[in-house]
């Protein structure tokens, strides 16, 4: 289903290259002042905090200079849908 264009069901659980998991809460969401597309997500570890970051930043490839041992091409990969 959709609420004002935001996907609200069957959102994926993502695995980060550092092995943490995150649940997508809403995507895309729009910054009210800049109109930049953002993503709202929840950590599935620690204090289960909620976060928002620019969608483009979230979708970046893994930094192979900073993390040369990581095989995963992108920072996050889809693990399953909820």
């Amino acid at each position: 289903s959709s609420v004002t264009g935001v996907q609200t069901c069957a959102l994926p659980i993502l695995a980060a290259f550092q092995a943490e998991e995150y649940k997508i809460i809403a995507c895309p969401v729009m910054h009210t002042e800049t109109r930049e597309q953002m993503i709202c997500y929840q950590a599935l570890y620690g204090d289960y905090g909620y976060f928002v970051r620019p969608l483009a930043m979230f979708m970046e490839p893994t930094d192979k200079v900073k993390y040369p041992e990581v095989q995963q091409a992108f920072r996050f990969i889809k693990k399953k849908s909820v």
Side-chain angles (χ1 to χ4, degrees):
S1 74
S2 175
V3 177
T4 63
V6 174
Q7 184 68 28
T8 57
C9 67
L11 294 170
I13 300 289
L14 301 179
F17 67 88
Q18 304 104 326
E20 292 102 356
E21 290 185 352
Y22 299 89
K23 178 181 176 184
I24 304 302
I25 304 301
C27 181
V29 293
M30 191 176 302
H31 189 286
T32 59
E33 307 220 356
T34 66
R35 311 301 282 175
E36 181 179 14
Q37 287 193 335
M38 310 290 275
I39 186 167
C40 179
Y41 61 102
Q42 179 185 21
L44 297 179
Y45 62 93
D47 66 359
Y48 288 75
Y50 290 89
F51 305 94
V52 175
R53 73 168 46 198
L55 182 57
M57 183 183 199
F58 195 86
M59 303 302 290
E60 290 176 343
T62 303
D63 184 338
K64 298 296 185 176
V65 173
K66 190 172 181 181
Y67 305 102
E69 72 286 353
V70 173
Q71 300 297 312
Q72 189 169 307
F74 291 92
R75 294 179 66 168
F76 299 93
I77 58 170
K78 183 176 177 179
K79 186 167 181 181
K80 60 185 174 183
S81 293
V82 292

